[in-house]
Structure formats: C-alpha cells, structure tokens
Amino acid sequence: DPSGHGAARPRTPAIDAGTTGYSVLIKDNHYPDVGSYCSSRSICGADPGVHSITRLRSDTLSPEWSTPAPSKMEWCINAPAVDQEGKLYVHSEDGSLYVFGRDGAIVKSLFLRQPQEAAYTPLSLDSSGRIYAQNAGHFFVVGR
C-alpha cells in the first residue's frame, strides 16, 4: 500500500461496530532503528519513536484519527478493548489506564501502578463493564 497504512503493517486490532459501520482500532507503535515492523518510514508512514492509538476506516484502512501516547511512552497492550458505546480502553507504559471517545480524545485516565520494564499485557472488558488490566505484575479490576 503506497500510503503506508495498509495490511503490510502487523497490528493488534479491536473492532468498533459504530453506528454507521465499523472501524478498526489499533495500537500504532513506531520503533526507531530496532528492526521492528516499523523500522521503515516508507512502509509505516510515521516517524520512528511515535506511539499512537489509531482508528482506521474499514473500507480503506486509512486513519480516521491518531492520538499519540502521553509523555512519549509506549502503549503496552496486546490489543485495545472497545465497549458497546464505542469507548476504547488501553493502558500505557506510564502506568495508567486510558479511555478514549470515538473522536480520539482521551476522556478518562486512571493511574494503576508505575510499571517496571512493562511488557505487552492483556486488557479486557466483561459484560458488566469492568475492566481487567495487568500492570507491574499486579492484576487490576476497575469498575463496579
């Protein structure tokens, strides 16, 4: 894909069914010169070292929006999670859990615990709206 936004870039997606069609939501981490999937700007299309959450159009897989990680940290998730209202849940290397609206704005954040050498960790939602996250070897349940 000449635009640099196509299927050649491995991703860990979530799907938002939306109100008028679906969108694909991804963590979009770009690593500088480490031989990762984003070591080539001609393929990835973004500057190395930029870590974003990106919403892609289902028909073209082109970005609807992209929000960089706070404080230049990496999104350390296996995959983002989306609830029935289209809110996107992710956690970051900065030790916080973030909630995004469908427009890409961060609507809430909650500090969990300062991670140490954070790995790509699971995050999921249940049918009661609870969020399950792992951070620094600790398991968190957020919600009612």
Side-chain angles (χ1 to χ4, degrees), residues 17-93:
T19 54
T20 60
Y22 73 92
S23 294
V24 179
L25 297 131
I26 59 168
K27 68 175 181 186
D28 201 7
N29 292 334
H30 296 256
Y31 304 98
D33 303 321
V34 295
S36 73
Y37 71 87
C38 277
S39 61
S40 170
R41 186 168 186 187
S42 65
I43 294 171
C44 299
D47 292 327
V50 174
H51 307 297
S52 301
I53 295 296
T54 302
R55 184 180 182 101
L56 304 172
R57 291 176 183 84
S58 61
D59 57 348
T60 62
L61 293 182
S62 60
E64 290 180 34
W65 53 256
S66 190
T67 302
S71 63
K72 306 288 183 196
M73 294 287 194
E74 180 180 334
W75 299 107
C76 54
I77 53 173
N78 285 330
V82 179
D83 70 13
Q84 292 177 349
E85 297 173 0
K87 292 181 193 145
L88 178 71
Y89 298 81
V90 298
H91 47 82
S92 172
E93 221 172 35

Side-chain angles (χ1 to χ4, degrees), residues 83 89-91 95-99 108-113 122-135 138-144:
D83 70 13
Y89 298 81
V90 298
H91 47 82
S96 295
L97 173 69
Y98 291 91
V99 182
K108 291 183 185 177
S109 66
L110 174 66
F111 180 74
L112 300 175
R113 183 179 179 116
L123 179 132
S124 60
L125 307 172
D126 71 13
S127 60
S128 297
R130 290 179 294 235
I131 307 157
Y132 298 90
Q134 182 181 333
N135 183 297
H138 296 269
F139 181 66
F140 295 87
V141 179
V142 179
R144 297 181 206 134

